[in-house]
Amino acid sequence: MRAASEGQFDLPCLHVPCWPGEEYLEKQRIMELFNDLCASVAFNKPQDVRAFLLQELAKREREGAQAGLFEDSEIVAVFQLADLKSHGVISSKQARAALLSLASSERQRLNIETMELPDELDLPAFQEKAKSVLRGGQGGQLHAQAPRAVDLALLRATAPTGA
C-alpha cells in the first residue's frame, strides 16, 4: 500500500464513508458522472476532448443525468449477439447477460440482477427493457459504456447451443 503522499489511496471500506467528502460525492453521484464521462470519451475518442466533455455535460443537462451512449442500432446489435441463431427471442438469462454487458456501475449491475424479466424476450421487449434501464426507469439504470470483451464472452456463453 502506498501512502497518500505518493499519489494513491487505499480505501478498504466500500459502503461506509472513509473520508469527509465521500458521503457528499456519493449523494451527488459525482464518481458515477466521472465514470460515465470517461467511458464516453474512451468510446467516442474525440479529437477535442474538452469540447466533447462540454457537449456531454450540456446533453446531460438537457436530457437528464442518464443520457446514454447507446443508439437503437447498438441495442439491436447487443440483442443479436445474444440471439446468435437468429431465433428472434432470447431467454431471460441471455437478456440479463446482455443488459449487464451495458452496465457501467455497481448500482446498475445490482438493478439489472434483481429486475424481473419474462422467460423469453423478443427484440421489441428487449429494447423496451434496455431503454427503461438506460433512462434510469424501473428496473435499473444503464448507459455509457461500450460492451467489454468479458461481457461479450458471457453473452456467447449463454447462447443456446442446439439447433
Side-chain angles (χ1 to χ4, degrees):
M1 174 171 88
R2 288 186 171 174
S5 62
E6 292 180 71
Q8 291 190 348
F9 293 90
D10 185 11
L11 300 174
C13 55
L14 298 175
H15 301 290
V16 178
C18 295
W19 51 279
E22 186 174 2
E23 188 175 333
Y24 175 79
L25 293 177
E26 186 175 308
K27 182 179 179 183
Q28 299 298 320
R29 299 170 65 188
I30 300 299
M31 298 310 292
E32 188 174 325
L33 173 64
F34 284 168
N35 286 335
D36 293 346
L37 291 172
C38 287
S40 186
V41 167
F43 184 76
N44 289 288
K45 298 176 179 54
Q47 291 290 333
D48 185 348
V49 174
R50 286 182 183 196
F52 178 80
L53 288 172
L54 289 172
Q55 289 173 347
E56 284 293 302
L57 289 170
K59 179 179 175 183
R60 282 167 170 73
E61 184 70 26
R62 282 190 317 272
E63 299 175 16
Q66 297 305 318
L69 289 181
F70 295 105
E71 305 284 332
D72 286 339
S73 62
E74 293 166 322
I75 294 171
V76 169
V78 169
F79 178 87
Q80 290 171 338
L81 278 171
D83 183 25
L84 291 176
K85 299 211 180 243
S86 300
H87 291 292
V89 295
I90 58 176
S91 70
S92 61
K93 182 179 178 181
Q94 291 169 302
R96 194 173 314 280
L99 292 170
L100 284 168
S101 74
L102 302 171
S104 65
S105 74
E106 189 59 35
R107 175 188 230 178
Q108 293 169 354
R109 290 181 199 289
L110 180 61
N111 287 337
I112 294 165
E113 288 170 356
T114 58
M115 72 187 294
E116 291 188 30
L117 293 171
D119 291 339
E120 292 185 333
L121 289 87
D122 60 7
L123 178 57
F126 178 79
Q127 286 177 300
E128 182 180 319
K129 287 289 186 183
K131 287 179 182 181
S132 171
V133 275
L134 286 167
R135 283 191 304 268
Q138 184 176 353
Q141 303 166 294
L142 280 187
H143 61 121
Q145 182 169 321
R148 297 171 298 275
V150 69
D151 295 324
L152 296 178
L154 178 61
L155 284 173
R156 290 185 187 102
T158 59
T161 55

